[in-house]
Amino acid sequence: MRPTRLCSTLAALALAVASPAQVWMDAPRPARIAEPPPTSDSVTALLNAAYLRDDEAKDLRIFHGLWTAADLDTPARRARAALLDARFDDASLGSPDADDTDRAAALLALGRPADAQALLREEGSARARRLRAEAHEAMGERDRAIAEAEVLASDLVAGKLQAPADAVEGVAALRLLARLKPQQQPAGGDYRHMMSSLGLARERGGRLDWRIPLAEAEILFEKHNRAEAAQAVTRALALNPRLVRAWALVGRAAAEGFDFANAEAIARRIDTIAGAPSLASVGVLVRARLKQNDPDGADEALAPLAESAVAEAISLRACIAAARYDLDAVEALLARHDAVAPGSAAALLEVGRTLSDARQYEMAAAFLRRAAERAPFQAEPVAELGLMGLQSGDDQQAIDNLARAAALDPFDLRVENSLKLARELQTYARLETPHFIVRFKPGVDQALADLMPDALEGMHRRVTGPDGIDHEPARRTVIDLMPDHRWFSVRIAGVTQIHTMAASTGPTIAMETPREGPGHSIGAYDWLRVVRHEYTHTVTLSRTRNRIPHWFTEAAAVYMEDSPRDITTCRLLESALDAGQLFDLTAINVAFVRPRRPTDRSLAYAQGHWMYEYIVRRWGGRAPLDLMDRYAAGDREQQAFPAVLGISTDQFLADFKVWAREQLVAWGLGQRPGEPTIAQILLAESAADDPDALAHDLASFVDEVGTSAAAGAAANREWDHDVPAPSEAMALRWLERFPKHPDLLEAAVKYALEAAGQKATAELVPLLRRYADARPVDPLPHQKLAQLGMANPETMDPIQHLRYLDAREQNSPVYAAELARRAAAAGDWTSALASAARAVTVSPYDPPMRELAARIAIQARDLAVARRHLVALTLIEPSQAKRHRQRLDALDRMIQGK
């Protein structure tokens, strides 16, 4: 993913902003649920009702999660409160005075199904029957679980479960049966019964029963209908703000929707409710961190339950082992899971999903197939296989598995819409090159696709060559041109790191077409630079078998863009280095996925690129590749750096910071040796009796304030806010002593431009050139000099400044187009064709750019290129197709020599 302004940092997604259901249905984005909604007015009115007896009021306050300590005056009441809070080991839940079904529910949650079943042997309530069915399921007693659940399901369908609470139990029985046997025919009938039964229960006096909307939310979440699930869980929390089950659902949805900050906040809220970490909160944290490919962070989150024998905790440990590629540990933990939850496919499914998220597609498929065999009536394992097929580029596998999942569960919206996407991709046109397959929707997008083959093959040679990653993927890379942002969002649903307009899943790259208009989020952009970044991911992932630190794969991708840093990035690095806020090799990976400050992710991209560049400059271009090979073998930085670079990671960072400060000086940033900072100058002048004399007495000044980086930083801290700019007189006065001082030159340029109405004049050229030389990363002098040269060519040639600006421009073809025109006017057809091609690369759907490129190609006698642009114009401007066809016919006659 690219760290430029073209790329958003990881979006703050709500419950599932990237879910195909939302994209296809144009559903409103669900609100982020981090705080409980206002308590229902009806609940408040009920709790304040004067007719309630004291015991009734206590029980209602507990039921609605609004109790006080005084309400918990019996073991039974304390047990009900503890169960709502997921405090399953609370002493009250072991008391014989507590309700047996509450105690059994706690025992099930603690992984003790046999004890739960024994406790409920004589119980005949609907809740007891459902709990017995779940206990049988947990013990692998499938037939007995089905028998218990079918009694409840039959009663529900027959209308015998009139009480809202009993209807909820009947729906839970249907959910269990859907896991263990084929669904009612026609397919999906069980889902209809569930939802209609819950609606009927609400009408029969259950308006204030939170169990009804919570059951609806859980079902809708399973069906990946996240927008409606969010609405249902909000209703449940309005009826009971302490519902840990509801908060855990919200946290899981936030994690799956890549809203990691919200997931972490919800986990903290659950801990606050429960009073300590619980499986509910830990499960949210572990899954969120695994989604971010952070097994160490997941392990840290699981630490409070490290010794837990509960099946879900064992499953989470297996997922962490999978994320570390420790398959022996995975199998050992799966065996432990089978011992406590015989016959369950849950751990196999989660391990497979974890490996798929980590792009370990072959390993993931093996575990998912085992899950599908063990749970033949569940859609989720085969759905995951289908989604993985989409991401890995195996379209037929995707269609076959998604169709099978849809047959098992036609109400799963993610499956439905992913299958639509897979079938839609089958209708796309294809262009094939030796190393790429480009797929695009027939029509206007052919205008872009026709540009790509030669450019992609040139990119391949650069990225995979000896000066690049020196590795070729085993198969051709598929590039999908998605016609708009909606289709792009559907295409990358499930990718861990969502990118604004392009994403690599390894064998496949998806990109939103770079054009303006409704349905497009970005507009024009340099698609070749974007794809080069993403293709570098494809190549590095292939070389390392997807085993590469997050920062390193991003660093390599930015490095291979072969583009200069912009000044914003340079300033960000300067600020971090000066403030001592550069990351170590652990924190930089965390910054990508769990940034603490708004700039952390951008800084992680920038610093990673900077460190990669340092490695190449100090140890040579093979060093990063040797590190990749160590990563592929399973080494972490702590082992790989000494083996390849000969120094520890701590020494690497120390040496890097010394080099980085030298880099800042070369950029015209930081503090140059022998020169004071603006802050030092301001402090010295404020204390001096004669500023003019001080400026001329350099030795005295140096003795007083020093010119080291530490002295400069100390002076900066004297200001409570940003260091103010020097006055014009001060800047000019000190420039006499320090004529190459970048900050003083910047101030002088600013004042001179203000005096000239922000327009460069011939008199300002020397000053602008001095500033450009002193601070080569600032585009300002180049912008002003280019404007002056274009308006007054007799004053100066703007070419070098236009080239400087074009090299840094990613969204506009304006500089490339001007360079093309000037080169054509000079008869430099090689340069003219190159600049025209660059302009079209940045804005391929822009008719004026195509017109310019066609005209220059004709003048340069490159008629094949001219023809490509005229064909594109017939697609881009269908209203002008007749005119473009006439021009195309004339060009064809030229080609034929007529």
Side-chain angles (χ1 to χ4, degrees):
M1 309 302 175
R2 302 180 62 247
T4 67
R5 60 193 173 93
L6 287 174
C7 321
S8 69
T9 54
L10 198 62
L13 302 172
L15 287 179
V17 68
S19 77
Q22 277 189 249
V23 175
W24 274 87
M25 300 172 65
D26 293 323
R29 180 178 296 186
R32 299 174 88 233
I33 305 173
E35 298 293 330
T39 300
S40 163
D41 291 342
S42 298
V43 168
T44 301
L46 173 63
L47 297 181
N48 291 330
Y51 59 79
L52 290 176
R53 296 192 305 271
D54 186 50
D55 283 351
E56 290 176 329
K58 290 178 180 179
D59 290 340
L60 281 172
R61 284 194 292 269
I62 292 170
F63 181 77
H64 289 288
L66 297 169
W67 66 79
T68 65
D71 294 328
L72 306 180
D73 54 1
T74 69
R77 289 190 175 115
R78 288 195 293 275
R80 289 201 298 275
L83 199 60
L84 286 172
D85 287 353
R87 291 182 283 110
F88 302 121
D89 56 356
D90 189 84
S92 61
L93 285 163
S95 170
D97 294 328
D99 184 273
D100 283 347
T101 55
D102 286 340
R103 294 172 62 198
L107 289 168
L108 267 177
L110 291 171
R112 297 166 57 187
D115 292 338
Q117 184 181 337
L119 187 64
L120 296 175
R121 189 169 289 116
E122 305 302 324
E123 286 279 345
S125 68
R127 187 185 186 201
R129 190 175 291 278
R130 187 264 302 173
L131 288 168
R132 281 200 300 270
E134 289 183 353
H136 286 305
E137 182 189 22
M139 292 187 291
E141 299 170 351
R142 176 178 174 275
D143 292 342
R144 297 181 70 181
I146 290 173
E148 287 277 14
E150 281 184 335
V151 174
L152 270 180
S154 297
D155 287 348
L156 179 71
V157 173
K160 296 180 181 179
L161 302 179
Q162 293 292 307
D166 290 345
V168 171
E169 300 299 344
V171 168
L174 281 177
R175 290 178 65 193
L176 183 149
L177 290 171
R179 294 193 294 271
L180 299 181
K181 59 180 288 191
Q183 288 196 40
Q184 177 179 321
Q185 296 300 316
D190 288 338
Y191 170 73
R192 292 190 179 97
H193 281 313
M194 291 181 212
M195 300 307 287
S196 62
S197 296
L198 291 170
L200 189 60
R202 182 181 290 107
E203 294 173 6
R204 288 175 172 167
R207 282 190 314 110
L208 302 185
D209 192 331
W210 51 262
R211 290 170 293 197
I212 295 171
L214 179 58
E216 290 171 330
E218 290 173 339
I219 293 166
L220 290 164
F221 181 77
E222 288 176 356
K223 306 300 181 187
H224 297 93
N225 188 341
R226 302 301 166 77
E228 292 186 30
Q231 296 168 8
V233 81
T234 301
R235 291 194 297 270
L237 289 168
L239 298 174
N240 185 332
R242 295 181 67 93
L243 277 178
V244 165
R245 268 175 63 193
W247 284 116
L249 185 68
V250 174
R252 287 279 301 274
E256 291 193 11
F258 318 125
D259 187 358
F260 302 121
N262 202 29
E264 300 256 346
I266 290 164
R268 291 192 295 271
R269 173 169 289 280
I270 293 172
D271 286 345
T272 300
I273 292 172
S278 64
L279 188 55
S281 64
V282 167
V284 169
L285 283 178
V286 170
R287 291 180 176 95
R289 293 179 183 181
L290 287 174
K291 270 284 184 186
Q292 301 165 79
N293 195 23
D294 181 14
D296 293 340
D299 203 15
E300 178 187 346
L302 189 58
L305 302 179
E307 303 304 319
S308 174
V310 176
E312 185 179 352
I314 297 170
S315 175
L316 293 174
R317 286 203 290 278
C319 290
I320 293 170
R324 289 171 168 159
Y325 316 122
D326 186 349
L327 295 188
D328 290 341
V330 171
E331 292 295 350
L333 287 162
L334 288 175
R336 287 187 60 191
H337 186 273
D338 284 348
V340 300
S344 171
L348 288 165
L349 175 60
E350 286 224 64
V351 166
R353 188 186 290 126
T354 299
L355 288 167
S356 178
D357 285 344
R359 297 165 179 162
Q360 302 292 315
Y361 296 127
E362 291 185 12
M363 286 192 288
F367 288 102
L368 291 171
R369 283 193 289 267
R370 287 163 63 182
E373 291 168 3
R374 187 172 288 190
F377 308 117
Q378 293 181 34
E380 192 76 1
V382 286
E384 290 293 336
L385 282 166
L387 292 168
M388 191 173 66
L390 274 178
Q391 304 308 330
S392 65
D394 190 339
D395 293 346
Q396 195 56 54
Q397 181 202 80
I399 290 173
D400 291 347
N401 282 303
L402 289 170
R404 182 179 163 200
L408 288 168
D409 187 354
F411 288 92
D412 188 313
L413 291 180
R414 182 180 63 163
V415 169
E416 176 187 349
N417 296 307
S418 296
L419 184 57
K420 287 180 182 178
L421 169 67
R423 288 172 172 161
E424 172 74 8
L425 289 173
Q426 293 290 295
T427 71
Y428 277 25
R430 296 161 65 101
L431 284 178
E432 299 191 12
T433 77
H435 299 99
F436 299 94
I437 298 171
V438 179
R439 301 193 295 192
F440 59 95
K441 191 175 182 67
V444 67
D445 290 338
Q446 185 173 344
L448 172 57
D450 286 344
L451 289 175
M452 299 182 81
D454 290 344
L456 290 176
E457 287 300 320
M459 174 196 75
H460 168 83
R461 290 189 292 274
R462 168 69 180 104
V463 173
T464 65
D467 294 329
I469 308 303
D470 199 16
H471 172 83
E472 288 198 14
R475 58 173 167 150
R476 286 188 291 184
T477 299
V478 176
I479 298 179
D480 287 333
L481 305 185
M482 307 315 296
D484 54 36
H485 191 66
R486 183 181 70 168
W487 271 106
F488 173 68
S489 297
V490 175
R491 182 66 183 87
I492 65 169
V495 175
T496 307
Q497 293 129 353
I498 288 187
H499 188 278
T500 307
M501 74 292 197
S504 167
T505 61
T508 301
I509 296 170
M511 59 177 282
E512 179 183 339
T513 51
R515 65 174 182 262
E516 308 285 348
H520 292 276
S521 64
I522 300 300
Y525 64 85
D526 183 348
W527 69 263
L528 185 57
R529 179 175 174 178
V530 169
V531 172
R532 187 161 56 242
H533 180 108
E534 300 303 335
Y535 186 54
T536 302
H537 284 313
T538 296
V539 178
T540 57
L541 291 171
S542 174
R543 179 169 183 139
T544 62
R545 294 185 292 161
N546 297 300
R547 299 175 181 182
I548 184 171
H550 194 155
W551 79 266
F552 204 80
T553 187
E554 293 298 349
V558 178
Y559 184 82
M560 291 303 300
E561 289 181 29
D562 292 332
S563 298
R565 293 177 182 84
D566 59 33
I567 192 169
T568 302
T569 299
C570 295
R571 288 287 194 189
L572 178 63
L573 291 168
E574 175 193 34
S575 175
L577 183 60
D578 285 346
Q581 293 179 342
L582 289 179
F583 302 113
D584 62 30
L585 295 187
T586 298
I588 192 170
N589 286 312
V590 176
F592 279 105
V593 294
R594 293 201 305 280
R596 296 181 179 179
R597 297 165 300 190
T599 59
D600 273 3
R601 190 173 289 112
S602 296
L603 177 59
Y605 276 110
Q607 183 186 331
H609 176 208
W610 215 11
M611 292 192 296
Y612 194 98
E613 181 183 0
Y614 172 60
I615 292 171
V616 171
R617 291 199 183 187
R618 178 171 171 181
W619 286 279
R622 294 299 308 177
L625 309 184
D626 292 340
L627 284 171
M628 290 182 198
D629 293 341
R630 302 293 300 203
Y631 298 145
D635 283 359
R636 301 274 176 168
E637 281 100 339
Q638 289 73 16
Q639 298 83 40
F641 272 53
V644 174
L645 307 182
I647 58 175
S648 68
T649 54
D650 289 343
Q651 188 61 51
F652 170 82
L653 286 167
D655 292 353
F656 164 70
K657 290 174 184 177
V658 174
W659 175 85
R661 195 156 297 281
E662 295 170 355
Q663 284 282 291
L664 288 184
V665 171
W667 297 343
L669 302 174
Q671 185 167 11
R672 290 155 53 115
E675 289 183 349
T677 66
I678 295 296
Q680 288 174 309
I681 292 172
L682 290 167
L683 287 172
E685 287 220 352
S686 67
D689 295 330
D690 185 353
D692 288 315
L694 178 64
H696 286 81
D697 188 357
L698 177 60
S700 172
F701 176 81
V702 171
D703 288 343
E704 182 176 351
V705 302
T707 58
S708 68
N716 288 339
R717 288 193 293 270
E718 293 290 327
W719 300 93
D720 294 330
H721 47 77
D722 291 339
V723 177
S727 67
E728 182 175 14
M730 183 187 297
L732 295 175
R733 183 163 60 244
W734 284 92
L735 273 173
E736 292 181 18
R737 278 292 182 183
F738 303 103
K740 295 183 179 181
H741 195 297
D743 292 329
L744 295 171
L745 285 167
E746 180 185 26
V749 165
K750 182 185 106 174
Y751 289 119
L753 286 173
E754 285 178 356
Q758 298 303 323
K759 291 183 178 180
T761 64
E763 293 73 24
L764 288 182
V765 169
L767 179 60
L768 289 167
R769 284 177 171 163
R770 285 172 62 194
Y771 179 49
D773 290 341
R775 181 166 288 155
V777 297
D778 193 341
L780 175 65
H782 299 279
Q783 292 167 348
K784 298 303 178 182
L785 290 168
Q787 291 167 3
L788 178 62
M790 291 168 63
N792 301 284
E794 70 284 353
T795 303
M796 60 171 297
D797 185 349
I799 295 295
Q800 71 177 93
H801 305 291
L802 289 170
R803 287 175 180 160
Y804 175 100
L805 296 167
D806 183 49
R808 290 155 178 78
E809 181 55 58
Q810 300 179 60
N811 297 91
S812 171
V814 60
Y815 300 122
E818 184 62 25
L819 285 166
R821 294 187 192 98
R822 288 177 175 270
D828 181 356
W829 299 114
T830 300
S831 297
L833 286 168
S835 292
R838 159 83 175 144
V840 170
T841 296
V842 175
S843 192
Y845 295 90
D846 187 348
M849 293 303 103
R850 293 287 190 159
E851 294 272 5
L852 173 67
R855 184 170 63 253
I856 288 175
I858 291 171
Q859 291 173 310
R861 306 304 295 174
D862 193 337
L863 302 186
V865 169
R867 191 179 197 284
R868 182 190 304 153
H869 294 305
L870 288 179
V871 169
L873 282 165
T874 67
L875 300 169
I876 295 167
E877 290 189 308
S879 63
Q880 301 294 315
K882 182 177 179 181
R883 179 170 66 90
H884 294 316
R885 281 288 172 195
Q886 290 172 344
R887 298 164 69 194
L888 191 57
D889 290 342
L891 180 63
D892 286 340
R893 288 193 294 273
M894 290 176 62
I895 293 173
Q896 296 165 11
K898 296 180 180 179

